[in-house]
Amino acid sequence: EINIITRLDIEEAMNILSLTEREIVTLHINAGLSFKEITKIINLSLPSTYRRYKKAISKLKILLSGGSL
């Protein structure tokens, strides 16, 4: 079975993330910023920023594969 993920699916999944998680994912993936650059924008430590990014990506994978949080 093929699971097609649409832009709407991604937007809905992104809206489930916290504001900070959304900002980090958007700045890293869409804007292409490094985690070091992102830390200066959102005022978090580098380890905290990276940890939140990994957590957000894990959540997105679950949501986009049909799971729930």
Side-chain angles (χ1 to χ4, degrees):
E1 177 180 319
I2 297 174
N3 183 17
I4 298 173
I5 298 171
T6 66
R7 182 181 183 108
L8 182 58
D9 294 330
I10 295 169
E11 288 177 13
E12 288 175 358
M14 287 288 287
N15 286 333
I16 293 173
L17 301 178
S18 72
L19 176 60
T20 302
E21 290 170 335
R22 275 196 311 271
E23 286 177 323
I24 293 169
V25 169
T26 301
L27 289 170
H28 186 64
I29 294 176
N30 295 353
L33 297 181
S34 69
F35 291 110
K36 189 173 182 180
E37 292 169 316
I38 294 169
T39 62
K40 295 175 183 175
I41 296 169
I42 61 173
N43 296 318
L44 287 174
S45 69
L46 185 58
S48 181
T49 300
Y50 185 71
R51 195 169 37 253
R52 288 179 191 226
Y53 174 79
K54 291 300 235 178
K55 182 178 177 183
I57 294 300
S58 292
K59 286 181 181 179
L60 290 172
K61 285 180 182 178
I62 292 167
L63 292 166
L64 293 172
S65 67
S68 61
L69 300 177

